Structures are given as C-alpha cells and as structure tokens.
Amino acid sequence: AVEKLAEEAGMQLPKASPEAAEEYDHRKRLQVACEAAAAFFEERLMSSEGAAARTYLEGRGLRPTAWKRHRLGYAPDDWRKTIEHLKSEGFTIEELLEAGLARESDKGGEPYDAFRGRLMFPVADIRGGVIAFGGRGLTPDAKPKYLNSGDTPLFHKSRVLYRYKAAREALGGGEGGGLIVCEGYMDAIALTEAGFGTAVAPLGTALTEDQLGLIWKAGPEPTFCFDGDRAGLGAAYRAIDRALPHVEPGRSLFFVLLPDGMDPDDLIRARGPGAMADALEKKIALSELLWMRER
C-alpha cells in the first residue's frame, strides 16, 4: 500500500536500513511472545487450575462464548510456570523480561512470572496484535486488585485503549457519533456483550492526550460513561480539562453519569441492556457538564 501511494505521488520510497529492519524483527519477536502468552493463559483458564477464574466470570454473568471472544485467560498461581512454558516455546528469558511477561527478582534470585493467580485480559495494539496484559486478582487480599503490564518497547499504557481495534470496527466509518469510553476492562466487556460494541477503556490511568487523539480518530463525538459517584464525577471533570484545549466545531465530548453509584457492568446486570441504552440516550454535552461544574 505504501509503495503504491509513493508511486502515485511520484516519490522515492525510502529503503529500510539494516538497523531499522533489525528493530522491526525484534519488536515482532516480542509481540509473538505476548501472543504465545495469551494462548497459554486461555488454555489455563479452561484447565482445573482456572476454576476460580471461571467461577468469577460466571458470577459476573459472562459465558464461555464471551471468554473466547475477548480472549480471557488465567495466569497460574506459580512463580515460574508461565516462564517455563514460554521457554519451551523457544523464547529466551531476556525476551520475556523485555515483553513484560517476567520480572527480575530484587533479591538476586531467578526472574519470576509477572502475573500469578490472576484473571487475564490481553491488550491489543491498533492492528489487533497482543502487546500487553491486565490481570485481576481473584482473592480479597490481592494487591493490587488490577495489575497492568509495565511499559515495554511494544506498550505504553498512556497511548493505548483496551478494545480499540474491535470498537473502531464496530463503529464503522466514524461518520458522526463515536466510541463509548468507560473506566475498566469489565465495563468494556459488559457493554460489548450487551450490544454496545463500540466500548473502550483506558488502562487504569487518567485519560491522556494520546488516548483522546485515538478516541477522536474513531469518531468526532464520543460518549464518556462514568460511575455515577463522586469519583466518577471527578473523572468526568478531569476529562473535560484534558479535552477543552482540543475541542473545535464538530469535535467534542458527551457524558453519561450513571445512577446510584453504578458502573456500566452493574447497571446492565441489575437492570438490563435497555437501562444502559436509556442512559446513553440521555447523554449531556461537554458544555452542559462544564457549566454545571462551574456553577
């Protein structure tokens, strides 16, 4: 495609240097390691050791078809099981460390699995390739409750949105409207399973300018859907401040503040997809929420 465009423009296509080709191959190798880890986690979810994760998902109203659709998995509760599996697939410990799948021991011991005993959510890049993971703890004392991959050569959490490629495809041409932006993995999955396939989520951080750029690239008027509590309102206000310098005619934000301190997953499970559709119908414009805040 690039060669054809260069030819039409009468331009010489730059040749890749050996260094650039090597860097591309290296990044591709790390991405293949993440893909292999995702497949391993999926397989473990369906094994006997994934029983607690399956019970949790069933309790959240998700069926096996949804697990498969979102490539959900389980990281074994073991210090080196994932490492040993991926090493058997031909990956080196250096590659696993660089891809964020293993961590160095601060006690001088061998590297250990980055994710252990967690429900796993694979995070894809804009082309759909797995580049990172989020892991939810399954015990009440799990710290933190959600653990995300650290920054790697493939992944910077401030520049990525969960489900972006799938949501953008669901949105279609992006003529009018836009994505539904919620706060977490489970909210994005719950919205998708309820028929709102344009849902995305930032990865446990406040919205960044890079993420806002991705959101607007998909459609000019996205809807931000926040928990209807004090924290959710605070997140909405921060999104306003982030967006205001970049708002222009035909490019803005809308907001939905859900009732009774609920998040989208809560609302859909308690009152059904129809209640979520009603909430989205009653969205308010950025200007209206800004006026409400300042008043």
Side-chain angles (χ1 to χ4, degrees), residues 32 94 131 170 196:
V32 172
E94 289 75 19
I131 55 170
F196 306 97

Side-chain angles (χ1 to χ4, degrees), residues 39-63:
F40 176 64
F41 296 145
E42 285 182 277
E43 183 259 319
R44 289 292 87 198
L45 177 64
M46 305 311 294
S47 72
S48 57
E49 62 188 339
R54 294 196 301 274
T55 300
Y56 172 80
L57 289 169
E58 286 163 358
R60 299 294 293 258
L62 293 176
R63 309 305 305 155

Side-chain angles (χ1 to χ4, degrees), residues 41-88:
F41 296 145
E42 285 182 277
E43 183 259 319
R44 289 292 87 198
L45 177 64
M46 305 311 294
S47 72
S48 57
E49 62 188 339
R54 294 196 301 274
T55 300
Y56 172 80
L57 289 169
E58 286 163 358
R60 299 294 293 258
L62 293 176
R63 309 305 305 155
T65 50
W67 311 347
K68 188 166 185 174
R69 185 162 30 250
H70 300 283
R71 299 199 64 188
L72 303 182
Y74 176 72
D77 194 6
D78 186 282
W79 287 94
R80 290 184 57 83
K81 199 163 190 175
T82 302
I83 288 174
E84 295 305 332
H85 171 78
L86 293 172
K87 282 173 70 177
S88 76

Side-chain angles (χ1 to χ4, degrees), residues 175-194:
E175 296 297 322
L179 300 176
I180 300 171
V181 185
C182 54
E183 290 193 82
Y185 300 111
M186 288 302 297
D187 289 330
I189 290 172
L191 282 162
T192 302
E193 293 303 309

Side-chain angles (χ1 to χ4, degrees), residues 69-279:
R69 185 162 30 250
H70 300 283
R71 299 199 64 188
L72 303 182
Y74 176 72
D77 194 6
D78 186 282
W79 287 94
R80 290 184 57 83
K81 199 163 190 175
T82 302
I83 288 174
E84 295 305 332
H85 171 78
L86 293 172
K87 282 173 70 177
S88 76
E89 299 262 299
F91 299 101
T92 66
I93 193 66
E94 289 75 19
E95 288 170 334
L96 301 182
L97 286 164
E98 200 171 357
L101 297 165
R103 291 189 177 168
E104 294 275 18
S105 169
D106 56 7
K107 297 174 184 172
E110 291 189 57
Y112 59 90
D113 290 348
F115 297 96
R116 302 179 306 285
R118 289 179 177 269
L119 174 65
M120 298 299 289
F121 302 84
V123 177
D125 62 13
I126 57 173
R127 292 179 294 278
V130 179
I131 55 170
F133 294 90
R136 189 196 193 283
L138 294 168
T139 57
D141 59 345
K143 298 269 190 297
K145 184 165 81 168
Y146 279 94
L147 177 67
N148 291 315
S149 294
D151 285 353
T152 72
L154 297 177
F155 171 69
H156 298 276
K157 64 175 174 282
S158 63
R159 301 180 202 160
V160 177
L161 291 161
Y162 180 62
R163 287 201 74 256
Y164 182 71
K165 181 176 186 286
R168 197 172 174 191
E169 286 171 353
L171 190 61
E175 296 297 322
L179 300 176
I180 300 171
V181 185
C182 54
E183 290 193 82
Y185 300 111
M186 288 302 297
D187 289 330
I189 290 172
L191 282 162
T192 302
E193 293 303 309
F196 306 97
T198 59
V200 299
L203 306 175
T205 59
L207 194 74
T208 67
E209 286 192 18
D210 287 332
Q211 289 169 330
L212 201 50
L214 283 174
I215 291 163
W216 271 326
K217 195 172 181 180
E221 295 182 333
T223 299
F224 282 61
C225 193
F226 290 114
D227 303 5
D229 56 12
R230 193 180 187 86
L233 199 57
Y237 290 162
R238 286 192 297 276
I240 286 176
D241 291 333
R242 181 72 69 193
L244 268 176
H246 309 287
V247 167
E248 57 188 42
R251 185 168 82 175
S252 188
L253 308 180
F254 285 83
F255 292 88
V256 171
L257 299 171
L258 297 177
D260 306 322
M262 290 182 164
D263 59 29
D265 183 34
D266 295 330
L267 183 64
I268 290 164
R269 281 193 292 147
R271 303 179 191 174
M276 189 71 233
D278 289 344

